[in-house]
Amino acid sequence: MSNTITINNKPVTVTEEQRSMSLLTFLRENQFLHGVKNGCEKGLCGSCTISLDDRAVRSCKMTVEKALGKSVITVEGMEYEDGTIHPLQQAFIDAGAVQCGFCTPGMIMSSYTLLLKNPNPSREEVRKALRGNLCRCTGYQQIVDAVQLAAKYIEEQGLSPLAGCLR
Amino acid sequence: MAEGKTFRNDGYAKVTGRATYADDISFAGTLHMVPVYADYVAAKNVVIDSSKAEALPGCIRVLTAKDVPGITNFGQIEQDYPMLITDTIRSWGDVLALTVAETREIALAAAALVEITADPIKPVLTMEEALSPYARTVPSYGDSNIVVHHKMRHGNPDPLFDECELIIEEDFTTQMIEQGYMEPESAICVPRSDGVIEIYGSMQHPFSTRRFTGALLGEPLSNIEVYTIAVGGGFGGKDDTAAIVCARAALGARILRRPVKMTYTREWSIRESYKRHPYKLHYKVGVTSEGLIKAVKTEMYADSGAYLSVTPWVTWRSTAQCCGPYAVDNVHADVYGVATNNLFTGAMRGFGSPQVNFATEQIIDMIAEKLKMHPLGVRRINMVKQGSTTVTGQVLDDHTVSMEEVMNNTVHEIGYRKKFEKCSLGKSDSDELYGIGLAISYRGASLGAEGMDFCSAIINGQYDGSILVETGIHENGQGSDSVMMMVLAEELGTNLKRIRYKRSSTSNIPDSGSTVATRGTIMGSSSIVLAAKQFKELLSKHLAERLKCTPEEVTFHGDKIWGLTYDQSLTWEEAMKELFLQRVTPYAFGTFQAPDVSWDETNGQGNAYFTYVYSCQAAEVSVNKKTGKIKLLNIVASHDIGKAINKAMLLGQIYGGITQGVGYALMEEVTSEEGRTTSLNFDKYKIPRTTDLPEMTGIVVENYDPHSLTGAKGIGEPALELIAPAIANAVHNATGIRCKSLPLTINPEDLA
Ligand code: FES
Ligand code: FES
């Protein structure tokens, strides 16, 4: 069995005692990926959402062990190496979808996995995909706008939907 | 700034995950602190045995009230909140000890080993019990469970009821709710070599944090420096408790001489932090046959819980706004805060008005129904207009009173009149019942007669042409830093790239009060305007000679500083350098004092607020006959906020406020059993999700406000305070059932 996780397109070796840790704690405390947020630690808020093999998962609800051999992308992996940001990130800024920002990384990761599967989601489809991500600030309206705007950016400007770290 | 384009100075940091919140910060050698609770709701003779905990390898210390060098009890109004319990437990959220260890795991394990014994007392859990003449007095001060009583005596309603065509007498209740910020409280405190304790915390009021910390440590305010960092929401909820989390970590840092971090779990956050006051409201309203409200008598009781916090201010607002946005000549109101052993209650966005609006805006619809009038008509007859006298005796003649304009906007946008005719009122051929409802409100902006109201700004020009700015307003996520930068850019005729918002510290900017009460924009931006005026005067004085004109003739636009002709201009780089060469510091300090307000506590009369925000929100719902489930179909909101500075962010505040109000209306409630909170995480404490909300439309009305130096008022609280009664009215119009308690529930059997 593999003892590595690919995190933001880089292999990370996991020690024996780290296997039983929660993936959230591992990403935050060992990998210093502080964009992964802890809002409830019980799988209820979505702040800790990451992409695991292109599926949105809550990192607080799984152990490091379960991620072995898989590819994890966190919000830190979304921007490109040269510092330009992913169309989703740009759209969140442009649409006014960010307030306190605590839910934002999780929202972006859930939206990312949605756009990979569905490049042109309707508002209802966006709402469904983000159902597990709580936001107390925005009322979600401009977050839904942002995801649709990102889809438009990607289509109109011929951009790749892939996370920046994968390119 | 182009219309519709969003500006956020922290946008990039927040979408990339780089924004630093308290728990993201660490320093070498950081220790971890965990709170210790006991399973008592009320008890005395507390004994704490921490020997087993302290014996745990890696546990450094267990701190209790005995270790406190300053005072353990503190509060914003009454010094009654125990930051650590000494002898008496008054609520299930009380903290008895703090374990400090090398790791969080060890601190958690140690907390479980602290042994607490006490003699339980029967808790007082309802306001009825607390008000009984035989009740035990809960608070540590005074001799009554009535901790505050505000009165309003405006005219004399009693003799008028007899002459009224219609008398409505109703009771309403509202529930306890949680602010629900996504980031739980967290703090990291560092003892600095110069003796100062540095605080990085998730709190919304750095100055209050400094006061709580100073009290606990027994040290002067100058020994404590609180820095502003990214905060994951506050909504009024990150004052006392969040400040106390910082103070406790500071205590550890001071005593153990190492950095100490204290990060709350969601469960601790909900268990310990103060909530929105549940209310019981009784209204007696007398109305003429034409629909004119002649007389109102009201009594309200607010559960303050075990500690006072800001209950007197919350209930004061309920008193000053007890009749909604209606000019009634004869009003008697009595508003009480009642102490119980429940979790304490304090500030939450809305602050004493959502409860009142829930009652008054339904009463207006009830009047319309009884008199067979249109709900809009009853509102129009009674609402405040230009020159009206409010129930506090204040004449509204010095700003635009746009209540009717705002209501008309919402009515037209949603198509209220036509849709109102189509409401099911309990009858429909399908399973879905349809209803539309609306509510209006006016909200006193800023603190009003509730507190001292002033705010400072500093503009600090650099010799390369860049500009630093800061104000005493705190960024909690609402986007205040961005608004301040935009106002400054506008005032100086320059662009945002030139301006950086300086991370504020309590040791730099003067105490400007709390960023609450919809005062951030109005107070902060006005202080910027004042500072910018001084800044421009200073520059004009020293640049006039080079620009070959008089100081009065110097102008600022197009990112340049100009004399009288096109060939006379300086770039900011040139101008700033020139000032430094003249040995003049391009620096300005401005303080904006809110216009005077007045209040007579004996009769509840005075100029309560210096200006008001006018709002109208409407909702369409469908209610399922079989399940009773209420579904929102559409929401429209219109608000007169004076002037929009950052339009997209303003709309974001409206949508966000409405959504919190939707939670209040339909699903949220802090539940408890025998005083022990049971809704400790988002499984039991449900807040609105994406799929619970319809599409929303926000309409911004801009009647420049003469009291604000930018014309802008604010939006934080108006957005939240009236959607619950709008939904309640819609639910009534769908079902024919009047829900007088929150959250709204429809029992399908009642629809049969
Ligand atoms: S922190 Fe993982 S879902 Fe809330
Ligand atoms: S922006 Fe604050 S929780 Fe979503």
Side-chain angles (χ1 to χ4, degrees):
Chain A
M1 188 177 171
S2 158
N3 64 346
T4 62
I5 308 179
T6 308
I7 299 178
N8 294 333
N9 209 16
K10 296 216 169 61
V12 172
T13 311
V14 171
T15 66
E16 203 50 49
E17 58 275 21
Q18 285 167 345
R19 282 169 175 255
S20 58
M21 284 175 93
S22 95
L23 184 58
L24 169 64
T25 311
F26 179 74
L27 293 172
R28 282 185 62 80
E29 307 299 328
N30 294 72
Q31 301 298 308
F32 303 106
L33 295 168
H34 290 141
V36 192
K37 296 291 180 223
N38 179 354
C40 73
E41 240 177 323
K42 297 270 157 61
L44 304 166
C45 75
S47 310
C48 64
T49 306
I50 55 157
S51 154
L52 184 75
D53 285 349
D54 297 340
R55 278 185 319 114
V57 304
R58 293 162 187 191
S59 60
C60 70
K61 283 292 276 184
M62 65 183 290
T63 57
V64 169
E65 177 136 47
K66 291 251 163 64
L68 290 174
K70 301 204 160 109
S71 164
V72 166
I73 295 171
T74 69
V75 75
E76 286 88 350
M78 292 299 284
E79 61 184 291
Y80 301 90
E81 205 145 305
D82 67 359
T84 41
I85 53 177
H86 189 274
L88 255 169
Q89 293 173 307
Q90 189 62 50
F92 266 67
I93 297 178
D94 294 347
V98 180
Q99 286 189 35
C100 82
F102 201 78
C103 71
T104 309
M107 287 285 180
I108 288 180
M109 297 320 297
S110 289
S111 310
Y112 172 65
T113 59
L114 168 69
L115 289 187
L116 287 181
K117 285 189 301 253
N118 181 352
N120 231 325
S122 67
R123 292 186 78 83
E124 286 74 70
E125 286 168 332
V126 176
R127 284 184 187 273
K128 261 210 188 101
L130 298 182
R131 209 190 119 71
N133 291 76
L134 294 177
C135 173
R136 192 61 157 171
C137 300
T138 65
Y140 307 104
Q141 179 95 3
Q142 288 155 311
I143 291 178
V144 180
D145 293 346
V147 179
Q148 291 199 315
L149 185 63
K152 193 170 136 205
Y153 286 166
I154 291 169
E155 188 182 313
E156 285 180 2
Q157 299 166 30
L159 304 171
S160 162
L162 284 185
C165 68
L166 298 177
R167 313 207 63 232
Chain B
M1 207 71 217
E3 166 89 8
K5 196 154 179 226
T6 318
F7 170 67
R8 271 208 83 109
N9 63 332
D10 53 0
Y12 183 81
K14 285 177 173 172
V15 299
T16 53
R18 283 183 205 153
T20 309
Y21 300 79
D23 191 50
D24 303 337
I25 302 174
S26 46
F27 294 89
T30 297
L31 295 171
H32 296 265
M33 180 181 271
V34 158
V36 179
Y37 303 94
D39 198 27
Y40 298 101
V41 177
K44 55 185 191 219
N45 304 326
V46 169
V47 179
I48 303 169
D49 178 1
S50 31
S51 52
K52 283 193 192 126
E54 283 189 321
L56 192 71
C59 177
I60 307 284
R61 257 307 264 287
V62 177
L63 298 169
T64 64
K66 293 200 181 81
D67 299 297
V68 170
I71 54 173
T72 52
N73 285 18
F74 202 64
Q76 298 196 60
I77 297 174
E78 187 70 43
Q79 303 204 341
D80 67 332
Y81 188 88
M83 293 187 260
L84 285 165
I85 293 293
T86 25
D87 176 67
T88 308
I89 294 173
R90 288 189 172 79
S91 102
W92 196 62
D94 289 352
V95 171
L96 291 98
L98 306 162
T99 60
V100 190
E102 294 289 350
T103 68
R104 183 171 168 91
E105 290 64 42
I106 299 172
L108 285 166
L113 295 174
V114 176
E115 289 170 1
I116 292 157
T117 50
D119 300 328
I121 320 171
K122 187 174 172 329
V124 177
L125 295 174
T126 63
M127 290 197 274
E128 289 74 18
E129 276 174 72
L131 292 169
S132 122
Y134 310 106
R136 181 170 54 74
T137 305
V138 175
S140 56
Y141 59 90
D143 55 5
S144 161
N145 286 328
I146 295 181
V147 292
V148 62
H149 173 194
H150 295 292
K151 289 192 237 343
M152 173 178 291
R153 301 290 178 261
H154 180 69
N156 187 10
D158 282 315
L160 298 170
F161 288 111
D162 283 347
E163 307 163 13
C164 288
E165 165 82 14
L166 170 71
I167 291 173
I168 301 235
E169 195 158 5
E170 290 290 349
D171 291 297
F172 297 85
T173 60
T174 68
Q175 80 282 42
M176 176 186 279
I177 66 164
E178 151 74 29
Q179 293 85 358
Y181 29 78
M182 276 298 120
E183 178 203 23
E185 293 80 356
S186 174
I188 181 160
C189 298
V190 189
R192 215 159 68 189
S193 55
D194 63 357
V196 166
I197 295 267
E198 277 180 5
I199 299 180
Y200 305 83
S202 178
M203 39 74 207
Q204 70 181 82
H205 190 357
F207 298 103
S208 173
T209 300
R210 194 172 64 151
R211 284 195 285 277
F212 275 97
T213 307
L216 192 67
L217 300 185
E219 294 187 33
L221 299 176
S222 56
N223 277 19
I224 300 143
E225 183 160 11
V226 184
Y227 287 106
T228 295
I229 52 170
V231 173
F235 319 115
K238 280 192 179 151
D239 201 338
D240 318 40
T241 306
I244 291 163
V245 171
C246 294
R248 291 183 188 135
L251 176 73
R254 180 55 95 214
I255 291 176
L256 301 168
R257 303 199 185 94
R258 281 171 67 177
V260 172
K261 180 185 273 190
M262 189 176 205
T263 295
Y264 268 41
T265 63
R266 179 62 58 187
E267 285 79 4
W268 303 341
S269 172
I270 294 187
R271 175 171 188 169
E272 189 181 330
S273 70
Y274 57 90
K275 306 286 182 271
R276 186 190 302 288
H277 293 73
Y279 270 48
K280 291 193 186 307
L281 311 97
H282 178 83
Y283 273 84
K284 183 175 177 187
V285 180
V287 193
T288 67
S289 52
E290 290 82 40
L292 185 73
I293 302 172
K294 278 292 254 205
V296 173
K297 274 193 92 169
T298 175
E299 243 179 39
M300 301 176 210
Y301 295 87
D303 189 343
S304 172
Y307 304 105
L308 191 67
S309 184
V310 293
T311 295
W313 296 337
V314 169
T315 47
W316 177 76
R317 191 174 275 274
S318 311
T319 313
Q321 305 205 198
C322 66
C323 287
Y326 303 103
V328 184
D329 291 335
N330 297 281
V331 183
H332 281 188
D334 290 276
V335 183
Y336 302 89
V338 182
T340 64
N341 287 111
N342 291 322
L343 200 50
F344 76 133
T345 45
M348 178 173 177
R349 189 178 190 179
F351 210 80
S353 62
Q355 296 95 334
V356 170
N357 293 344
F358 179 66
T360 54
E361 282 306 287
Q362 290 206 79
I363 290 172
I364 296 292
D365 269 31
M366 292 158 110
I367 294 173
E369 196 190 349
K370 289 258 160 63
L371 293 178
K372 304 207 171 15
M373 288 178 67
H374 200 283
L376 297 177
V378 178
R379 286 186 173 80
R380 268 200 189 102
I381 291 172
N382 293 289
M383 67 169 56
V384 289
K385 304 174 182 77
Q386 199 70 38
S388 287
T389 302
T390 70
V391 293
T392 73
Q394 178 174 4
V395 181
L396 302 177
D397 57 1
D398 55 0
H399 65 275
T400 307
V401 180
S402 55
M403 194 68 263
E404 181 147 28
E405 178 187 358
V406 165
M407 185 172 88
N408 287 345
N409 279 331
T410 300
V411 164
H412 289 149
E413 174 66 30
I414 203 163
Y416 179 86
R417 286 180 168 284
K418 273 206 184 119
K419 288 177 176 169
F420 181 69
E421 306 303 325
K422 287 199 217 125
C423 289
S424 310
L425 277 167
K427 292 181 197 68
S428 117
D429 302 333
S430 78
D431 279 347
E432 298 295 329
L433 299 164
Y434 169 84
I436 186 168
L438 61 66
I440 64 175
S441 77
Y442 77 153
R443 182 179 188 85
S446 203
L447 301 178
E450 173 194 305
M452 310 269 281
D453 215 354
F454 58 99
C455 176
S456 302
I458 295 173
I459 305 172
N460 190 357
Q462 306 298 306
Y463 79 88
D464 65 351
S466 58
I467 298 166
L468 290 166
V469 64
E470 67 182 303
T471 69
I473 294 301
H474 192 248
E475 173 67 63
N476 303 325
Q478 77 281 43
S480 62
D481 289 1
S482 308
V483 162
M484 302 308 152
M485 290 171 70
M486 292 167 81
V487 170
L488 183 62
E490 173 97 23
E491 290 295 315
L492 298 182
T494 177
N495 59 44
L496 288 163
K497 289 202 188 78
R498 202 171 278 296
I499 299 170
R500 173 165 289 279
Y501 197 93
K502 182 182 174 295
R503 179 178 75 171
S504 302
S505 115
T506 49
S507 299
N508 199 44
I509 190 92
D511 188 341
S512 296
S514 191
T515 302
V516 295
T518 312
R519 68 186 285 276
T521 301
I522 194 164
M523 299 301 294
S525 68
S526 294
S527 68
I528 296 251
V529 172
L530 286 181
K533 186 162 171 274
Q534 284 183 32
F535 191 72
K536 286 191 284 190
E537 277 166 12
L538 183 77
L539 264 59
S540 302
K541 183 171 153 207
H542 292 278
L543 298 172
E545 202 181 316
R546 262 196 76 174
L547 291 166
K548 299 203 173 52
C549 63
T550 67
E552 294 72 36
E553 287 162 347
V554 175
T555 52
F556 298 76
H557 53 88
D559 197 30
K560 274 189 170 181
I561 299 157
W562 300 83
L564 284 175
T565 52
Y566 268 119
D567 54 349
Q568 293 300 340
S569 71
L570 291 169
T571 63
W572 277 89
E573 286 76 3
E574 291 165 339
M576 294 294 199
K577 199 163 157 205
E578 172 69 30
L579 256 79
F580 276 89
L581 290 176
Q582 293 182 31
R583 296 178 181 74
V584 174
T585 316
Y587 179 93
F589 175 78
T591 298
F592 177 69
Q593 293 173 334
D596 281 345
V597 284
S598 59
W599 191 253
D600 180 346
E601 186 62 41
T602 60
N603 60 6
Q605 295 293 287
N607 293 337
Y609 299 95
F610 59 83
T611 194
Y612 292 80
V613 175
Y614 299 89
S615 308
C616 176
Q617 297 182 345
E620 289 178 74
V621 304
S622 68
V623 181
N624 188 285
K625 269 195 209 160
K626 295 214 169 96
T627 62
K629 195 175 155 37
I630 301 163
K631 188 174 161 52
L632 291 166
L633 306 173
N634 186 18
I635 290 177
V636 173
S638 172
H639 299 270
D640 182 354
I641 45 68
K643 183 186 155 194
I645 297 173
N646 199 356
K647 181 86 181 284
M649 282 292 110
L650 174 70
L651 289 172
Q653 286 284 309
I654 294 177
Y655 303 141
I658 290 173
T659 302
Q660 289 180 1
V662 164
Y664 190 47
L666 296 180
M667 59 190 81
E668 293 178 30
E669 179 158 25
V670 175
T671 52
S672 61
E673 276 167 25
E674 295 300 309
R676 294 170 178 83
T677 306
T678 48
S679 51
L680 290 170
N681 209 324
F682 294 120
D683 48 351
K684 299 261 170 57
Y685 193 81
K686 297 215 189 307
I687 67 169
R689 297 177 178 274
T690 45
T691 43
D692 295 321
L693 292 154
E695 294 299 323
M696 298 181 256
T697 308
I699 304 169
V700 177
V701 177
E702 297 180 274
N703 286 301
Y704 183 96
D705 191 275
H707 301 289
S708 155
L709 300 183
T710 53
K713 300 192 259 203
I715 186 62
E717 301 182 284
L720 180 147
E721 68 184 9
L722 69 165
I723 197 69
I727 296 173
N729 285 336
V731 167
H732 170 268
N733 294 341
T735 60
I737 297 170
R738 210 18 96 193
C739 299
K740 287 173 235 163
S741 69
L742 283 172
L744 308 173
T745 43
I746 291 291
N747 183 349
E749 283 165 24
D750 296 338
L751 293 171

